[in-house]
Amino acid sequence: RATGRGVLIFSAHLTNFNLGFLAFAIQGGFPIQTLSAPMPAGGFGVIRDLRNRGAIEDTAIDAASLLKAVRRLRGGGAAAIGIDWPIPESEERIEFFGAPSFVSSGPVRLALSANALVVPLHCMWSAERGYWAVTDPPIELTRSGNRERDIQDNTRHLLSIVEGWIRAAPDQWLMYHPVWPEPAGA
């Protein structure tokens, strides 16, 4: 907050990452906008309703919500996104765990466009401790002057952080959509 710059919190779908977003919003003392994939009815609607009951404003990703997030970040606010959400219909393929994936560079594009700091946040669970959220120090994205290279390099850097989280607790990664294309002939 002291920098006056916006903060894009990124997480992965580890354990109860919603708890991490909520903890950040409450402890930080300011609301955050979460950016979520457009979700069908059912359980996803319940999640969206729960998120929207307090310090979080959950928005489905579309042109209007992205513009709102950019404005919020440029104004010194906070937004949050799950960086490991796959977008199979995109032609972009970002390396994740050593293979081309459906994971998007969208979070990095957003942070670069808004000149936001990026804060890694993930949640863990253990029988002894229960759930807890961990944030790392803010990351200043690199800017070389070549936007497309910056997007690729920064996305790979953030995904390498996520890979470390998942390697530490692979049983706590809860991704229920295909992250990698099917191998040819599968």
Coordinates of all heavy atoms in Angstrom, one line a residue, residues 21-27 29-34 50-58 72 78:
F21 N -7.2 -15.7 -0.4 CA -7.7 -14.4 -0.9 C -8.4 -13.7 0.2 O -8.2 -12.5 0.3 CB -8.6 -14.7 -2.1 CG -7.9 -15.1 -3.3 CD1 -8.6 -15.7 -4.4 CD2 -6.5 -15.0 -3.5 CE1 -8.0 -16.2 -5.5 CE2 -5.9 -15.5 -4.7 CZ -6.7 -16.0 -5.7
L22 N -9.3 -14.3 0.9 CA -10.1 -13.7 2.0 C -9.2 -13.2 3.1 O -9.3 -12.0 3.5 CB -11.1 -14.6 2.5 CG -12.1 -14.1 3.6 CD1 -12.8 -12.8 3.0 CD2 -13.0 -15.1 4.0
A23 N -8.2 -14.0 3.5 CA -7.3 -13.5 4.5 C -6.5 -12.3 4.1 O -6.3 -11.4 4.9 CB -6.3 -14.7 4.9
F24 N -6.0 -12.3 2.8 CA -5.3 -11.2 2.3 C -6.2 -9.9 2.4 O -5.7 -8.8 2.8 CB -4.8 -11.4 0.9 CG -3.9 -10.4 0.4 CD1 -2.5 -10.5 0.5 CD2 -4.4 -9.2 -0.2 CE1 -1.6 -9.6 0.0 CE2 -3.5 -8.2 -0.7 CZ -2.1 -8.4 -0.6
A25 N -7.4 -10.0 1.9 CA -8.3 -8.9 1.9 C -8.6 -8.3 3.3 O -8.5 -7.1 3.5 CB -9.6 -9.2 1.2
I26 N -8.8 -9.2 4.2 CA -9.2 -8.8 5.6 C -7.9 -8.3 6.3 O -7.9 -7.2 6.9 CB -9.8 -10.0 6.4 CG1 -11.2 -10.3 5.8 CG2 -9.9 -9.7 7.9 CD1 -11.8 -11.5 6.4
Q27 N -6.8 -9.0 6.2 CA -5.6 -8.5 6.9 C -5.0 -7.3 6.3 O -4.5 -6.4 7.0 CB -4.5 -9.6 6.9 CG -4.9 -10.9 7.6 CD -4.1 -11.1 8.8 OE1 -3.0 -10.7 8.9 NE2 -4.7 -11.9 9.7
G29 N -6.8 -5.0 4.9 CA -7.7 -3.9 5.2 C -8.3 -3.2 4.0 O -8.8 -2.1 4.1
F30 N -8.3 -3.9 2.8 CA -8.9 -3.3 1.7 C -9.5 -4.4 0.8 O -8.9 -5.5 0.8 CB -8.0 -2.4 0.9 CG -6.7 -3.0 0.4 CD1 -6.7 -3.5 -0.9 CD2 -5.6 -3.0 1.2 CE1 -5.5 -4.1 -1.3 CE2 -4.4 -3.6 0.7 CZ -4.4 -4.1 -0.5
P31 N -10.6 -4.2 0.1 CA -11.2 -5.2 -0.7 C -10.4 -5.6 -1.9 O -9.6 -4.8 -2.4 CB -12.6 -4.6 -1.1 CG -12.4 -3.1 -1.0 CD -11.3 -2.9 0.1
I32 N -10.6 -6.8 -2.4 CA -10.0 -7.2 -3.6 C -11.0 -7.7 -4.6 O -12.1 -8.2 -4.2 CB -8.9 -8.3 -3.4 CG1 -9.5 -9.6 -2.8 CG2 -7.8 -7.8 -2.5 CD1 -8.6 -10.8 -2.7
Q33 N -10.7 -7.6 -5.8 CA -11.5 -8.1 -6.9 C -10.9 -9.4 -7.4 O -9.7 -9.4 -7.7 CB -11.5 -7.1 -8.1 CG -12.2 -7.7 -9.3 CD -12.1 -6.7 -10.5 OE1 -11.6 -5.6 -10.4 NE2 -12.6 -7.2 -11.7
T34 N -11.6 -10.5 -7.3 CA -11.1 -11.8 -7.8 C -11.6 -11.9 -9.3 O -12.7 -11.5 -9.6 CB -11.5 -13.0 -7.0 OG1 -12.9 -13.0 -6.9 CG2 -10.9 -13.0 -5.6
L50 N -20.4 -17.1 -2.2 CA -19.7 -17.0 -0.9 C -18.6 -15.9 -1.0 O -18.3 -15.2 -0.1 CB -19.0 -18.3 -0.6 CG -20.0 -19.4 -0.1 CD1 -19.3 -20.7 0.0 CD2 -20.7 -19.0 1.2
R51 N -17.9 -15.8 -2.2 CA -16.8 -14.8 -2.3 C -17.4 -13.4 -2.2 O -16.7 -12.5 -1.7 CB -16.1 -15.0 -3.7 CG -15.2 -16.2 -3.7 CD -14.5 -16.2 -5.1 NE -13.6 -17.3 -5.2 CZ -13.1 -17.7 -6.4 NH1 -13.4 -17.0 -7.5 NH2 -12.3 -18.7 -6.5
N52 N -18.6 -13.2 -2.7 CA -19.2 -11.9 -2.8 C -19.9 -11.4 -1.5 O -20.5 -10.4 -1.5 CB -20.1 -11.8 -4.0 CG -19.4 -11.7 -5.3 OD1 -18.4 -10.9 -5.4 ND2 -19.9 -12.3 -6.3
R53 N -19.6 -12.1 -0.4 CA -20.3 -11.7 0.8 C -19.5 -10.8 1.7 O -19.8 -10.7 2.9 CB -20.7 -13.0 1.6 CG -21.8 -13.7 1.0 CD -22.3 -14.8 1.8 NE -23.4 -15.5 1.2 CZ -24.1 -16.4 1.7 NH1 -23.8 -16.8 3.0 NH2 -25.0 -17.0 1.1
G54 N -18.4 -10.3 1.3 CA -17.6 -9.5 2.2 C -16.5 -8.7 1.5 O -16.8 -7.8 0.6
A55 N -15.3 -9.0 1.8 CA -14.1 -8.2 1.3 C -13.7 -8.5 -0.1 O -12.8 -7.9 -0.6 CB -13.0 -8.3 2.3
I56 N -14.4 -9.5 -0.7 CA -14.0 -9.9 -2.0 C -15.2 -9.6 -3.0 O -16.3 -9.8 -2.7 CB -13.7 -11.4 -2.1 CG1 -12.4 -11.7 -1.3 CG2 -13.6 -11.9 -3.5 CD1 -12.1 -13.2 -1.2
E57 N -14.8 -9.1 -4.1 CA -15.8 -8.9 -5.2 C -15.4 -9.8 -6.3 O -14.3 -9.6 -7.0 CB -15.8 -7.5 -5.7 CG -16.7 -7.2 -6.9 CD -16.6 -5.9 -7.5 OE1 -15.7 -5.1 -7.1 OE2 -17.3 -5.6 -8.5
D58 N -16.1 -10.9 -6.5 CA -15.8 -11.9 -7.5 C -16.4 -11.5 -8.8 O -17.6 -11.2 -8.9 CB -16.2 -13.3 -7.1 CG -15.7 -14.4 -8.0 OD1 -14.5 -14.5 -8.0 OD2 -16.5 -15.0 -8.7
R72 N -8.7 -0.6 -11.1 CA -8.5 -0.9 -9.6 C -7.0 -0.9 -9.3 O -6.5 -0.3 -8.4 CB -9.2 -2.2 -9.2 CG -9.0 -2.5 -7.7 CD -9.6 -3.9 -7.4 NE -11.0 -3.9 -7.6 CZ -11.9 -3.8 -6.6 NH1 -11.4 -3.7 -5.3 NH2 -13.2 -3.9 -6.8
A78 N -6.3 -3.8 -5.2 CA -5.8 -5.2 -5.3 C -6.8 -6.0 -6.1 O -8.0 -5.9 -6.0 CB -5.7 -5.8 -3.9

